[in-house]
């Protein structure tokens, strides 16, 4: 099965007859993908995330995770285990006095046997590079470290997909990079990632982007395709990544940069090429 998520014509309003927070959204995510949902505050990203793991049920349309309909009550725990969620504020996700207990928390909820727990906890913490902190107190960790522990808590449940809802929004730039790098590695190891963000720089590093505005998906494509249309994005109160903007300004002034420039790495590649040609 290759479509791990299938959302079909989903509508959702918080009040009956009220404004649609999610308005006729159709999209699918293939297993193994690294997909961004990019949109301004209030565009409906978090509502969509909560529709994905059955926290909310669609008013119209269907949401399927691994072929299971979120409206199927018998499947809801299977869906939540298959599609883990990591939220914005790490402090709300960590509740225990020791890192290992926090990672164990979800396992207890899904009824994993006690003897199976230590192995799962250790490998989850190893996967996010936090195994050395197993016996530490979560509240003493940095924001980035806390978020990695929260990710380990989800990983221990062996999900197929993880939905990150602005998981780096409360972190400093170093913490943001640290968490993003961890998530990229997990994706390379086979976990499907849905990365919800309003940071252009992060979306630029995903494989595919869906842009949300006023509850709708208004653009879908690769980062290069999406960020080509700077004016269109600005109309949606979104920007292009700083490096793309800089490349545009330099080209206007006659600097012969080539190819798509979305990230610092792209810019470094081009500047090195130009310098070598001088
Ligand atoms: P985003 O995550 O992109 O910031 P949300 O999904 O949180 O967007 O919000 C989408 C729309 O739904 C917004 O207009 C927001 O005001 C509204 N909304 C969000 N949560 C609630 C809620 N609990 N009750 C009523 N309206 C809500
Ligand atoms: Mg949100």
């Amino acid at each position: 099965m290759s479509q791990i998520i299938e959302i079909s014509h989903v509508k959702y309003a918080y009040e009956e007859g009220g404004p649609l927070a999610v308005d006729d959204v159709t999209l699918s995510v293939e297993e193994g993908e690294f997909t961004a949902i990019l949109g301004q505050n209030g565009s409906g990203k978090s509502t969509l995330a909560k529709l994905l793991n059955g926290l909310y049920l669609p008013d119209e349309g269907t949401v399927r995770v691994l072929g299971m309909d979120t409206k199927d009550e018998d499947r809801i725990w299977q869906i939540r285990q298959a599609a883990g969620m990591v939220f914005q504020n790490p402090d709300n996700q960590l509740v225990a006095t020791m890192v290992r207990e926090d990672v164990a928390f979800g396992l207890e909820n899904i009824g994993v046997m006690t003897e199976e727990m230590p192995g799962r906890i250790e490998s989850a913490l190893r996967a996010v590079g936090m195994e050395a902190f197993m016996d530490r107190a979560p509240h003493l960790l940095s924001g980035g470290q806390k978020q990695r522990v929260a990710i380990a808590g989800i990983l221990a449940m062996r999900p197929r997909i993880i939905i990150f809802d602005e998981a780096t929004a409360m972190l400093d730039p170093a913490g943001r990079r640290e968490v993003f790098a961890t998530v990229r590695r997990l994706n390379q190891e086979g976990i499907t990632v849905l990365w919800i963000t309003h940071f252009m720089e992060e979306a630029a590093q995903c494989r595919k982007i869906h842009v949300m505005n006023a509850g709708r998906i208004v653009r879908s494509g690769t980062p290069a395709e999406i960020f080509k249309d700077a004016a269109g994005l600005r109309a949606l109160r979104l920007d292009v990544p700083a490096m793309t903007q800089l490349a545009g300004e330099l080209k206007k002034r006659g600097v012969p940069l080539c190819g798509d420039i979305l990230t610092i790495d792209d810019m470094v590649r081009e500047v090195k090429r130009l310098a070598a040609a001088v």
Side-chain angles (χ1 to χ4, degrees):
M1 186 175 130
S2 67
Q3 305 294 359
I4 196 160
I5 285 179
E6 289 177 278
I7 303 172
S8 176
H9 297 293
V10 164
K11 294 187 181 178
Y12 183 85
Y14 282 93
E15 297 159 38
E16 219 181 310
L20 290 171
V22 167
D23 185 0
D24 199 18
V25 166
T26 295
L27 72 85
S28 53
V29 177
E30 266 177 52
E31 176 120 59
E33 271 292 359
F34 197 129
T35 302
I37 306 276
L38 174 65
Q40 261 308 332
N41 251 342
S43 57
K45 306 182 298 298
S46 294
T47 309
L48 187 65
K50 288 171 186 154
L51 283 158
L52 279 176
N53 78 345
L55 226 47
Y56 300 156
L57 297 176
D59 298 332
E60 280 180 43
T62 53
V63 176
R64 286 177 189 279
V65 177
L66 287 164
M68 299 178 281
D69 192 324
T70 56
K71 280 188 176 146
D72 185 348
E73 282 172 30
D74 297 334
R75 298 288 191 163
I76 198 66
W77 289 107
Q78 240 174 305
I79 289 173
R80 289 200 184 145
Q81 190 212 320
M85 295 252 278
V86 176
F87 298 96
Q88 192 173 92
N89 189 344
D91 291 320
N92 295 344
Q93 298 173 84
L94 304 182
V95 291
T97 52
M98 228 190 274
V99 163
R100 68 161 78 234
E101 292 166 0
D102 256 313
V103 179
F105 192 72
L107 293 181
E108 285 161 17
N109 282 343
I110 61 168
V112 170
M113 308 273 241
T114 317
E115 54 271 28
E116 206 190 312
M117 285 193 190
R120 282 218 200 185
I121 292 167
E122 231 183 280
S123 74
L125 284 168
R126 213 178 307 121
V128 299
M130 289 296 289
E131 68 275 25
F133 296 82
M134 196 130 51
D135 300 316
R136 302 277 188 88
H139 71 272
L140 297 177
L141 303 177
S142 74
Q145 290 172 329
K146 283 181 193 169
Q147 209 51 318
R148 278 150 68 203
V149 171
I151 295 169
I154 299 296
L155 274 182
M157 295 192 267
R158 310 226 167 115
R160 300 271 288 275
I161 176 163
I162 306 183
I163 301 149
F164 295 88
D165 188 359
E166 308 245 22
T168 60
M170 297 186 72
L171 306 181
D172 59 20
R176 217 176 285 158
R177 277 194 298 274
E178 159 191 331
V179 167
F180 197 72
T182 303
V183 173
R184 278 174 83 149
R185 206 164 48 242
L186 294 175
N187 175 251
Q188 280 156 10
E189 286 161 11
I191 294 198
T192 308
V193 173
L194 196 62
W195 186 263
I196 296 174
T197 188
H198 66 266
F199 292 117
M200 312 303 138
E201 269 68 21
E202 291 179 350
Q205 295 177 69
C206 296
R207 222 168 5 234
K208 198 166 179 194
I209 302 177
H210 298 285
V211 180
M212 262 191 113
N213 187 55
R216 290 174 165 266
I217 303 287
V218 291
R219 305 276 159 88
S220 296
T222 63
E225 288 163 354
I226 296 291
F227 293 123
K228 224 176 261 167
D229 177 21
L233 286 175
R234 224 166 287 132
L236 302 169
R237 290 185 298 134
L238 291 168
D239 247 321
V240 299
M243 284 304 129
T244 311
Q245 227 167 313
L246 178 58
E249 291 299 320
L250 289 169
K251 280 187 210 169
K252 260 192 243 164
R253 289 164 175 73
V255 179
L257 295 168
C258 295
D260 297 316
I261 297 180
L262 301 168
T263 63
I264 290 175
D265 286 347
D266 296 337
M267 183 59 95
V268 168
R269 178 202 72 220
E270 274 306 285
V271 170
K272 273 171 85 174
R273 188 184 60 77
L274 290 178
V278 175

